[in-house]
Amino acid sequence: MAQILILLTDFVINLVSSLGYFGIFLAMTIESASIPLPSEIIMGIAGYLVYKGEMNLLLAAFVGAIGNITGSTIMYFLGSMGGRPVIKKYGKYIHFSEEKFEKVDTWFAKWGDKIVFISQLLPVVRTFVSLPAGILKTNFPKFILYTFTGAFIWCFALAWFSSLLGPEWE
């Protein structure tokens, strides 16, 4: 497991260091499309580059949130087009079982569309909320607004905190 984390970290460092803001966009799109690439690493690297003066904090957070919307929209539309059969057939590939979907379905019933915003502030959950949001036909403009707002706060917080840790990078 540690070796995988090291490989992912090296991949993200190279992607963001060589492609800059576009690297953040690509990595956050991948992460929010339910492919395991931790946003904590992506925005952590961005924060370090903010510390070094190579990136702007607000722009890094904005680009991260736009990447998040892109990947989340892909998952939303997959869910809206495929419905529950998508979970039954492909959920195992992204560690999203029918039982987990039932739990998310309960959250949506209790909190409504706002669960999209709340989920964007929670590790792991944020990556997978878009598929059930699409399946449950969440209002798309609200989905975009809640996804962007939550993702921007998440990306900003991670990059800002990481920029404060800059001198301790090693």
Side-chain angles (χ1 to χ4, degrees):
M1 183 67 173
Q3 188 64 25
I4 292 172
L5 192 55
I6 290 169
L7 289 172
L8 283 175
T9 302
D10 287 346
F11 171 74
V12 172
I13 289 171
N14 290 328
L15 186 67
V16 175
S17 295
S18 62
L19 298 179
Y21 294 109
F22 187 65
I24 293 172
F25 170 80
L26 285 176
M28 289 301 291
T29 298
I30 291 167
E31 182 264 349
S32 59
S34 301
I35 299 168
L37 193 60
S39 59
E40 295 85 352
I41 296 173
I42 300 162
M43 296 312 298
I45 301 301
Y48 177 68
L49 294 174
V50 167
Y51 161 75
K52 288 178 58 180
E54 296 177 20
M55 285 193 168
N56 175 279
L57 177 61
L58 286 174
L59 187 54
F62 179 78
V63 170
I66 295 297
N68 191 288
I69 284 177
T70 304
S72 294
T73 299
I74 291 166
M75 296 309 290
Y76 178 94
F77 282 116
L78 284 175
S80 69
M81 291 186 300
R84 283 185 181 245
V86 168
I87 295 292
K88 289 181 180 177
K89 188 170 183 180
Y90 299 108
K92 63 184 173 196
Y93 298 112
I94 58 169
H95 305 289
F96 200 79
S97 65
E98 180 69 25
E99 294 78 32
K100 287 181 184 175
F101 182 79
E102 292 297 329
K103 193 178 291 185
V104 172
D105 197 7
T106 302
W107 293 345
F108 271 94
K110 182 176 181 179
W111 300 98
D113 297 346
K114 292 172 197 69
I115 196 65
V116 173
F117 171 75
I118 295 164
S119 296
Q120 288 299 325
L121 303 173
L122 302 172
V124 182
V125 176
R126 63 185 312 283
T127 304
F128 300 107
V129 72
S130 302
L131 187 65
I135 291 170
L136 296 170
K137 307 286 191 220
T138 300
N139 176 283
F140 189 68
K142 283 184 181 179
F143 172 79
I144 293 295
L145 176 65
Y146 292 154
T147 298
F148 176 79
T149 305
F152 182 81
I153 292 167
W154 178 258
C155 291
F156 182 88
L158 289 174
W160 176 72
F161 185 70
S162 297
S163 72
L164 297 178
L165 296 174
E168 306 301 324
W169 180 255
E170 293 302 322

